[in-house]
């Protein structure tokens, strides 16, 4: 497709959560997608603008009755006015972007509802576990520059909490607090998993560790909060420092 104002040629890629606009890295006269994606073609595509997240996008036709194959993509404070080769292509792009946007918004809504339900667990259990993810050290490098963009996911059954992402570090200091309701002292397990945040591909796994609540109770017996160093498993390097405070209802 082309930008209406400048006639700049763009190649768009629609994913399930964002629309990526690219342009060729050198002068290139297209003659259909077969030529661009041929194994013999050495053309490189470059990102034209940051990805357009589909939960923040509005797609509309400037004039539905117009024969001009143009449409608008509004994203926060930016509007792209694009032209396709024909009306059929315009219709296909508009329909597919709208459908992908609606599906992504619905998926995000379900995620929020699940998180809300998990955090709305009634305090009718036997206690609560206060967790602070202090920091991680010597994480596995997931980026070409030898660094990572790590974040931490802390779960106990359906209860899930996620820390913020820290960029370009193998030793993130989160100081991230979360609270879990304990239902079964001998079945509940605290799980800590660290991931690399990747904008264009699935997040990389940087290690995980688990601590049974029964073990925490034994360690904290009449001691109050405790800080522990936990080794990350399934990876060659990495550990996480946590502070744990178990409070059982009815216990002084």
């Amino acid at each position: 497709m082309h930008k209406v104002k400048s006639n700049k040629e763009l190649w768009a890629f629609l994913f399930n959560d964002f629309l990526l606009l690219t342009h060729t890295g050198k002068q290139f006269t297209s003659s259909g997608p077969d030529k661009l994606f041929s194994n013999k073609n050495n053309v490189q595509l470059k990102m034209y603008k940051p990805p357009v997240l589909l939960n923040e996008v509005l797609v509309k036709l400037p004039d539905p009755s117009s024969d001009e194959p143009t449409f608008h993509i509004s994203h926060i404070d930016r509007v792209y006015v694009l032209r396709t080769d024909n009306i059929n292509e315009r219709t296909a792009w508009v329909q597919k972007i709208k459908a992908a946007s609606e599906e992504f918004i619905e998926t995000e809504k379900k995620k929020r509802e699940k998180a809300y339900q998990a955090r709305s667990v009634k305090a009718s259990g036997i206690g609560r576990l206060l967790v602070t993810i202090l920091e991680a050290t010597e994480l596995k490098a997931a980026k070409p520059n030898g660094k990572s963009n790590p974040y931490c996911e802390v779960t106990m059954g359906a209860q899930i909490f996620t820390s913020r992402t820290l960029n370009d570090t193998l030793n993130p200091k989160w100081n991230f607090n979360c609270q879990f309701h304990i239902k079964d002292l001998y079945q509940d397990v605290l799980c800590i998993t660290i991931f690399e945040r990747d904008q264009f591909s699935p997040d990389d796994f940087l290690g995980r560790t688990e601590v049974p609540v029964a073990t925490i109770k034994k360690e904290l017996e009449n001691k109050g909060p405790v800080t522990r160093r936990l080794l990350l498993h399934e990876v060659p390097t990495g550990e996480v420092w946590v502070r744990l405070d178990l409070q059982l209802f009815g216990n002084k």
Side-chain angles (χ1 to χ4, degrees):
M1 61 181 71
H2 293 78
K3 290 190 65 180
V4 169
K5 189 173 182 179
S6 64
N7 203 39
K8 183 178 184 64
E9 185 181 49
L10 299 176
W11 291 83
F13 297 86
L14 180 61
F15 297 87
N16 63 340
D17 51 356
F18 65 89
L19 176 71
L20 181 64
L21 297 176
T22 69
H23 62 102
T24 53
K26 63 179 182 180
Q27 290 296 326
F28 176 68
T29 303
S30 64
S31 60
D34 291 341
K35 180 176 179 182
L36 178 65
F37 296 106
S38 167
N39 292 333
K40 299 179 181 179
N41 196 298
N42 62 359
V43 171
Q44 292 185 341
L45 294 175
K46 295 184 177 181
M47 187 167 65
Y48 175 61
K49 295 291 184 182
V52 178
L53 295 177
L54 294 181
N55 60 339
E56 302 172 344
V57 71
L58 177 64
V59 184
K60 62 180 182 179
L61 303 176
D63 182 0
S65 63
S66 172
D67 291 333
E68 283 293 318
T70 61
F71 67 100
H72 293 177
I73 296 178
S74 300
H75 180 237
I76 307 179
D77 59 350
R78 184 184 297 273
V79 178
Y80 300 96
V81 184
L82 303 171
R83 184 182 70 252
T84 59
D85 288 341
N86 53 63
I87 294 292
N88 290 338
E89 284 192 14
R90 180 191 72 176
T91 301
W93 272 110
V94 170
Q95 290 178 347
K96 289 182 182 297
I97 293 174
K98 283 184 176 180
S101 176
E102 291 172 0
E103 184 174 347
F104 182 50
I105 290 173
E106 184 64 24
T107 299
E108 291 297 295
K109 180 181 176 182
K110 289 179 179 178
K111 285 183 180 178
R112 289 194 298 271
E113 289 176 348
K114 183 178 179 181
Y116 176 78
Q117 290 171 359
R119 295 176 188 184
S120 298
V121 174
K122 301 297 183 181
S124 58
I126 62 172
R128 61 182 180 176
L129 177 64
L130 307 177
V131 180
T132 301
I133 307 297
L134 298 169
E135 62 179 319
T137 57
E138 299 181 355
L139 295 178
K140 180 181 72 172
K143 297 174 64 179
N145 66 358
K147 300 291 186 179
S148 292
N149 294 338
Y151 70 93
C152 186
E153 186 175 270
V154 192
T155 66
M156 183 181 294
Q159 304 174 73
I160 303 174
F161 296 88
T162 303
S163 76
R164 70 189 190 280
T165 300
L166 297 179
N167 295 327
D168 293 327
T169 180
L170 300 182
N171 302 285
K173 297 182 184 299
W174 287 297
N175 287 312
F176 168 62
N177 297 303
C178 46
Q179 174 179 297
F180 296 92
H181 294 283
I182 306 301
K183 293 294 185 180
D184 189 321
L185 188 61
Y186 299 100
Q187 294 293 326
D188 289 344
V189 177
L190 178 70
C191 300
I192 302 170
T193 310
I194 299 178
F195 296 97
E196 148 81 5
R197 181 78 68 186
D198 198 317
Q199 193 170 21
F200 301 112
S201 62
D203 294 345
D204 290 332
F205 174 76
L206 298 181
R208 71 190 302 271
T209 188
E210 295 183 351
V211 187
V213 172
T215 301
I216 298 173
K217 178 180 182 299
K218 185 176 181 180
E219 289 189 2
L220 268 61
E221 204 76 53
N222 300 319
K223 293 181 181 178
V226 64
T227 299
R228 286 192 58 185
R229 176 177 69 94
L230 304 172
L231 292 177
L232 296 174
H233 303 296
E234 302 174 47
V235 286
T237 180
E239 55 191 29
V240 60
W241 290 82
V242 301
R243 184 165 56 244
L244 305 169
D245 185 9
L246 179 63
Q247 301 174 355
L248 299 178
F249 300 143
N251 287 14
K252 298 297 183 182

